[in-house]
Amino acid sequence: MTAPTLSNPDLIPTTAAQRTWRWYHFAALWVGMVMCIPAYTLAASLIESGMSWSQAVGTVFLGNLIVLVPMLLIGHAGAKYGIPYAVLARASFGTQGARLPALLRALVACGWYGIQTWFGGQMIYTLAGVLIGHPLTGEPLPGLGINAAQLGCFLLFWALQFWFVVHGIEAIRKLETYTAPIKIVICFVLLWWAWDKAGGFGPILDQPSAFVDGGKKAGQFSAVFWPSLTAMVGFWATLALNIPDFTRFAKSQRDQLLGQAIGLPAPMGLLAALAVFVTSATVVIYGKALWDPVDLASRMTGAAVLIALIVLLIDTVSVNLAANLVGPAYDFSALAPGKISYKTGGMLTAGIAIVMMPWKILASTEGYIFTWLIGYSALLGPVAGILIVDYYLLRKTELAVDELYREGGRYSYRGGWNIAAVIAFVVGVAPNIPGFLNAAFPAVFPEVGAAFKAIYTYAWFAGLALAAIVYGVMMAGKTQAQPLTRSAI
């Protein structure tokens, strides 16, 4: 019998009628999420660190090719059984213990949801000033640190997204499907504009790598490449975990596999290349490199500014809703299924975004954006390792779905917690803590051993591998393959 403490209409397996997503829906979902401002600016940090444009684009592409693997592996369970990530985690962490990885994923997503909402508000603030002919200004409000216009623009963008929060995941699917082609067209229009204005693509494309013999950082490529690659993986590490929240609506396993394979690595690499080409042209047009598309849009005139504003707003809304709302909405629902529905979880996420005052988070952590990316990948990598080993190596992709919703069943372990998963998670995270503290707060934690710094360089990989090995050893012989249930497809 399904326990009310573990189930509600949003968490139970999707029905055949609900599984309507085809491969092109997943491809559109990823194109919609990839075409975003943070992804556009990723190549900037790599070029500033000394990479040539081809090395930067290659690193972005490789990182996304790597993260696609756990994305497809974990997404398999969603497509096969119609269950969300928060329910899948019960098989390995236990019916109560699954709240731990769900909460970790939700909190990271809430941070990103607030930050992206602030970015969206800042777009309105910046480009509205261009449209009216002078910048919006004002005295900072007491306790907030931003002026009334900034607050108003932030709340306006928050309200635009809230409509989709209320109307659920189907509204988000339609938004992604319809806007993805528009984003692709706009990218090529921007590329043509830059090429035409500059009479070519400018000096960045001719800039050699700083790691070649005689360069400023000769022989240091590996020291920059590996943490950068880990950061690229970390960029989508959250989605690699909660991808079942989307694949549970797949028409077939083939649809999720093909759609994601088409929609993630190649578009991400192409966007990085686009960013490099356009930014290289801005050196010729404006005399300096403009990596921020909002800054670039603010320098345009006439109708181009309004068009840029609309495109950037659509872009930020679509990526924020898909990447940072769906996951925590299900995760919060799983914490208290009887009281929190998917819609309520979405409202809770949106509410936390305001309370967090993301502009203050950015003020203190903006310089550590890659520390942030690598840091939370150190938390999420171990969870991915545990889920993959449990689902593939131990259970051979067979789950007793009904037991996932039952107190005292085979996935309850001891009091609802699987201690093996908790220990494996701690082992996977612990070695990365010294390196994270040193990277984020070097003045406070200056004396961290070279070994810990090296481990942190590979945070996601190291955490995944350690947790997977420990979990596999501790659970060997303690699980048994389950017969297929009527919930599987």
Side-chain angles (χ1 to χ4, degrees):
M1 182 177 179
T2 300
T5 55
L6 297 175
S7 177
N8 64 30
D10 296 308
L11 295 178
I12 61 175
T14 50
T15 63
Q18 292 175 298
R19 300 182 187 188
T20 59
W21 289 41
R22 304 309 301 262
W23 69 267
Y24 46 84
H25 292 125
F26 286 101
L29 173 75
W30 274 111
V31 169
M33 290 193 291
V34 162
M35 303 295 178
C36 65
I37 292 173
Y40 182 98
T41 58
L42 279 181
S45 63
L46 301 182
I47 287 178
E48 288 171 0
S49 69
M51 289 188 184
S52 66
W53 77 268
S54 57
Q55 288 172 335
V57 172
T59 302
V60 172
F61 176 78
L62 179 59
N64 285 272
L65 192 63
I66 290 171
V67 83
L68 177 66
V69 175
M71 200 87 67
L72 296 178
L73 291 176
I74 296 174
H76 183 279
K80 185 173 184 178
Y81 296 106
I83 55 177
Y85 156 70
V87 172
L88 171 63
R90 293 172 183 173
S92 51
F93 281 83
T95 50
Q96 299 299 320
R99 289 179 167 88
L100 172 62
L103 188 59
L104 286 174
R105 169 65 181 95
L107 291 177
V108 170
C110 284
W112 271 117
Y113 188 85
I115 289 169
Q116 289 276 23
T117 301
W118 172 248
F119 283 157
Q122 282 296 94
M123 288 176 215
I124 299 175
Y125 180 81
T126 300
L127 298 182
V130 176
L131 289 173
I132 65 176
H134 61 83
L136 298 176
T137 57
E139 291 296 319
L141 297 171
L144 294 181
I146 57 174
N147 63 45
Q150 287 176 306
L151 179 61
C153 292
F154 171 72
L155 293 176
L156 174 60
F157 189 75
W158 182 90
L160 287 173
Q161 297 177 117
F162 197 73
W163 186 90
F164 292 94
V165 175
V166 172
H167 287 79
I169 194 169
E170 185 61 18
I172 295 174
R173 180 188 68 81
K174 290 179 179 178
L175 174 69
E176 298 291 350
T177 302
Y178 297 146
T179 59
I182 298 174
K183 289 184 178 184
I184 294 173
V185 171
I186 291 297
C187 282
F188 281 104
V189 169
L190 180 60
L191 189 64
W192 172 83
W193 171 85
W195 178 85
D196 181 64
K197 279 279 188 179
F201 284 127
I204 292 179
L205 299 185
D206 298 325
Q207 183 176 309
S209 168
F211 307 111
V212 297
D213 291 340
K216 291 181 180 179
K217 297 183 178 180
Q220 300 177 36
F221 179 74
S222 294
V224 173
F225 171 75
W226 286 109
S228 298
L229 183 65
T230 303
M232 295 307 109
V233 173
F235 192 80
W236 293 121
T238 52
L239 265 293
L241 284 185
N242 79 282
I243 196 64
D245 297 342
F246 297 97
T247 60
R248 66 194 299 243
F249 297 99
K251 187 79 173 177
S252 69
Q253 200 65 251
R254 177 181 177 275
D255 285 304
Q256 76 96 2
L257 290 170
L258 182 61
Q260 293 202 83
I262 292 173
L264 177 56
M268 196 75 178
L270 288 174
L271 181 68
L274 170 79
V276 171
F277 295 157
V278 173
T279 303
S280 185
T282 64
V283 176
V284 177
I285 301 169
Y286 299 108
K288 64 177 182 178
L290 301 177
W291 288 101
D292 183 354
V294 178
D295 186 12
L296 177 59
S298 70
R299 295 167 187 267
M300 296 178 180
T301 57
V305 178
L306 184 59
I307 294 171
L309 174 61
I310 294 172
V311 170
L312 288 170
L313 289 178
I314 292 174
D315 168 58
T316 306
V317 167
S318 63
V319 69
N320 205 23
L321 292 171
N324 303 317
L325 176 80
V326 175
Y330 280 120
D331 295 337
F332 283 130
S333 180
L335 295 179
K339 299 178 180 178
I340 304 176
S341 64
Y342 168 85
K343 186 181 294 185
T344 304
M347 293 179 179
L348 186 59
T349 303
I352 292 174
I354 295 179
V355 175
M356 287 176 67
M357 293 192 284
W359 54 90
K360 292 195 173 185
I361 295 175
L362 282 173
S364 61
T365 63
E366 194 166 19
Y368 299 117
I369 189 66
F370 273 79
T371 299
W372 161 250
L373 285 175
I374 298 176
Y376 76 65
S377 77
L379 285 176
L380 304 184
V383 177
I386 291 168
L387 294 184
I388 292 170
V389 167
D390 184 83
Y391 183 66
Y392 285 93
L393 299 185
L394 301 179
R395 304 188 193 279
K396 312 300 183 185
T397 76
E398 306 298 339
L399 297 174
V401 176
D402 293 343
E403 296 285 314
L404 294 169
Y405 301 89
R406 186 171 299 159
E407 295 279 15
R410 68 189 67 187
Y411 302 121
S412 291
Y413 300 98
R414 293 186 179 181
W417 288 80
N418 183 5
I419 301 303
V422 175
I423 292 174
F425 172 75
V426 171
V427 170
V429 171
N432 284 305
I433 294 177
F436 168 76
L437 294 175
N438 174 257
F441 312 104
V444 182
F445 300 94
E447 297 181 4
V448 171
F452 286 115
K453 291 180 181 179
I455 291 172
Y456 184 67
T457 298
Y458 310 94
W460 184 83
F461 301 95
L464 185 149
L466 284 171
I469 292 170
V470 172
Y471 184 77
V473 170
M474 294 186 70
M475 291 295 292
K478 296 181 180 179
T479 60
Q480 53 185 331
Q482 306 300 331
L484 287 172
T485 72
R486 56 185 179 81
S487 299
I489 62 171

